[in-house]
Amino acid sequence: MDTLKIDFNNITGKIKPMHAVNNPPTVPSDTYGLYEKVKEAHIPYVRLHDTGGLFGGAHYVDIENIFTDFGADENDPASYDFAFTDKLLESMDKIGLKPFYRLGCTIENYHKIKAYHIFPPADPYKWERICEHIILHYNEGWADGYHFGIEYWEIWNEPDNEPEIGDNPMWRGTQEEFFELYDITAKHLKASFPFLKIGGYASCGFYALSDADFSETAHSTSRVGYFVEFFHNFFKYISEKNSPLDFFSWHSYAGLRENVMYAAYAKEKLTQYGYGNAEVIFNEWNPGIHNRGKAVDASNIAAVMCAMQKTSTDMCMYYDGQADSTYCGLFSGDFHKVFKAYYAFRAFGELYLLKNEVFSDTTADGVYVCAASGEKKAAMIVNSNSGNVDIKLDTPDILQCFATDETHDYEAIELKLNDGVLTLPPYAVWLVIFE
């Protein structure tokens, strides 16, 4: 019989923020009380990208939304429009939600009609100074600003989205133009704020590694092949320029096993290029919007959290937390309903509070586990299978269980063991508290 083992005496590391998200549920403020739900789930970080929907709501976060006239004086506070982003960050700060600030622009899915903000900045040195003043506003009080202490500042998003410039909804420029922009901006920001984390570039990912026909030593004409080509060219460039990079961010909408493989690949290659100490941040992922609202979505999300915790990945950021986004599995579009996937975040949030990861493992296919100790001992046990799974528990006595599955929504249930065997129902996400 398959087994599940947990050793609370064997601390293996720290529980990492695998349950961060892109965007808070609503902008600019908490109209429907959903921020309190985010707080209850102990979601630690929120990445600010595509904030406010298409074109960034025309008011939020993006450089062009804050500095609306590139010809203006970047040293003059009157040149900046911080209003909506100020209100958003104030709302987040009230519940202790830390921003992960993306410097750049929102994806322009209708760029073929007209592209607006996805071109390389006319003057990369001026662009770096604009970024500097945005950081000064939110961290050092410049221009009637704040002292939020925002730690992560990400340069751009998916500049590798398409190999042909005219097809790219994120970067209407060459690879080399982006590499230069990153180098210039990262060096300036790191020199100005050495204690902050500067990185990027929110890579489209490594799907090509799953293609048996792809060779990373030769150019692949496929779009996914271009993602990997861009990745290597970027790191060759910045390693030669000695550009600072505190974190590398990447994306994937593939399955769990592929994502674990991609995470290992990213860490291996960063080490080879001399950036082995950089954090690896998986900051866009979603196991499938077609399962939105279902127990299977909750179990798939929880399985990714458990699996990525055991990789070298430093943070995961689910896409998307905005309730009116079709990619949001946490909340309904009418802002009034919490979906089952929300409870996967809440369960992992309880482990995150305990801080210490302890040894856990299982032999059951499709079953995942992550365990933690601190003020108490707990484990998140996930069955991503469509049927029941019987599993032998090699653990201390169970004190309490909060179950999320097809018939429960984070409800306290009594676990009944038969000779130490636990039966997990389909698509279960169970937070188990031990004596």
Side-chain angles (χ1 to χ4, degrees):
M1 174 176 286
D2 287 309
T3 61
L4 188 151
K5 295 183 179 181
I6 301 174
D7 183 356
F8 285 107
N9 294 315
N10 183 1
I11 296 175
T12 58
K14 294 294 184 182
I15 296 292
K16 297 175 287 188
M18 302 289 102
H19 60 312
V21 299
N22 281 254
N23 295 306
T26 59
V27 292
S29 57
D30 187 18
T31 307
Y32 300 92
L34 295 181
Y35 277 58
E36 190 61 32
K37 291 294 184 184
V38 171
K39 183 179 180 179
E40 288 175 3
H42 307 294
I43 291 174
Y45 291 93
V46 163
R47 179 178 182 241
L48 300 177
H49 170 64
D50 291 346
T51 307
L54 292 174
F55 296 97
H59 302 297
Y60 299 100
V61 177
D62 295 0
I63 301 297
E64 294 79 3
N65 292 341
I66 290 177
F67 194 81
T68 57
D69 178 6
F70 199 77
D73 180 2
E74 71 273 21
N75 299 303
D76 184 358
S79 301
Y80 295 80
D81 183 356
F82 291 112
F84 277 82
T85 308
D86 281 358
K87 183 66 175 177
L88 170 63
L89 295 185
E90 286 174 6
S91 298
M92 292 170 55
D93 186 63
K94 287 178 181 177
I95 63 167
L97 197 55
K98 297 179 182 179
F100 183 104
Y101 202 111
R102 189 269 294 122
L103 298 164
C105 61
T106 293
I107 191 169
E108 296 186 7
N109 290 312
Y110 302 107
H111 67 101
K112 289 295 184 70
I113 298 175
K114 184 178 180 180
Y116 285 86
H117 306 312
I118 57 177
F119 298 95
D123 180 352
Y125 293 97
K126 183 171 185 176
W127 195 84
E128 77 176 16
R129 294 191 297 272
I130 295 167
C131 294
E132 175 191 8
H133 283 86
I134 291 173
I135 296 175
L136 287 170
H137 177 74
Y138 287 117
N139 279 0
E140 298 187 12
W142 181 78
D144 296 321
Y146 305 85
H147 293 84
F148 288 141
I150 301 173
E151 184 178 12
Y152 289 94
W153 297 87
E154 181 180 43
I155 298 173
W156 220 263
N157 172 80
E158 296 187 359
D160 55 342
N161 195 285
E162 287 282 353
E164 298 299 328
I165 292 175
D167 294 333
N168 196 325
M170 279 304 317
W171 179 255
R172 282 289 189 92
T174 65
Q175 290 187 34
E176 290 73 20
E177 285 175 309
F178 175 75
F179 302 161
E180 180 186 34
L181 178 68
Y182 179 87
D183 175 62
I184 290 170
T185 306
K187 285 177 177 174
H188 180 73
L189 296 183
K190 198 63 184 173
S192 302
F193 312 101
F195 45 88
L196 298 183
K197 295 180 180 180
I198 311 298
Y201 53 90
S203 160
C204 282
F206 306 101
Y207 305 102
L209 303 181
S210 304
D211 183 353
D213 296 328
F214 175 77
S215 169
E216 60 178 290
T217 60
H219 174 69
S220 170
T221 57
S222 71
R223 178 172 177 253
V224 294
Y226 178 72
F227 300 163
V228 180
E229 175 193 305
F230 190 103
F231 169 81
H232 286 286
N233 289 343
F234 173 79
F235 276 98
K236 289 174 184 176
Y237 183 97
I238 68 166
S239 61
E240 291 174 358
K241 295 286 187 178
N242 198 27
S243 312
L245 182 132
D246 295 313
F247 65 88
F248 169 69
S249 50
W250 62 283
H251 302 163
S252 173
Y253 292 84
L256 184 151
R257 288 178 174 83
E258 289 86 354
N259 291 337
V260 169
M261 177 181 69
Y262 302 156
Y265 180 85
K267 186 66 174 180
E268 175 190 349
K269 296 305 176 185
L270 261 66
T271 301
Q272 290 178 5
Y273 282 112
Y275 291 93
N277 292 327
E279 294 182 31
V280 179
I281 298 180
F282 185 26
N283 68 358
E284 265 196 41
W285 65 278
N286 189 311
I289 61 174
H290 56 286
N291 288 319
R292 188 183 187 207
K294 301 176 183 178
V296 61
D297 194 34
S299 67
N300 286 340
I301 288 170
V304 170
M305 292 176 183
C306 290
M308 297 303 280
Q309 167 69 29
K310 297 175 190 246
T311 70
S312 57
T313 303
D314 294 284
M315 189 188 316
C316 292
M317 313 188 83
Y318 171 86
Y319 188 93
D320 191 352
Q322 294 181 108
D324 57 355
S325 168
T326 57
Y327 282 86
C328 179
L330 286 77
F331 311 108
S332 64
D334 62 5
F335 311 106
H336 296 298
K337 182 179 180 181
V338 172
F339 287 141
K340 289 182 182 291
Y342 165 79
Y343 298 112
F345 288 85
R346 186 164 175 179
F348 196 90
E350 293 298 322
L351 301 184
Y352 186 69
L353 288 182
L354 298 178
K355 298 183 179 180
N356 298 311
E357 183 188 13
V358 300
F359 174 84
S360 62
D361 195 17
T362 176
T363 61
D365 188 42
V367 175
Y368 300 87
V369 59
C370 182
S373 67
E375 294 183 355
K376 57 186 176 183
K377 302 172 182 178
M380 187 165 76
I381 303 173
V382 182
N383 177 19
S384 64
N385 297 289
S386 60
N388 290 348
V389 173
D390 291 333
I391 194 164
K392 182 80 171 178
L393 282 168
D394 179 14
T395 61
D397 292 335
I398 293 171
L399 180 65
Q400 197 173 21
C401 177
F402 295 93
T404 302
D405 48 48
E406 293 184 314
T407 57
H408 300 94
D409 292 329
Y410 203 71
E411 298 170 39
I413 64 170
E414 181 183 357
L415 288 188
K416 296 180 180 179
L417 302 182
N418 183 13
D419 292 329
V421 176
L422 175 66
T423 299
L424 294 169
Y427 308 131
V429 180
W430 286 6
L431 177 69
V432 182
I433 312 299
F434 297 90
E435 292 187 17

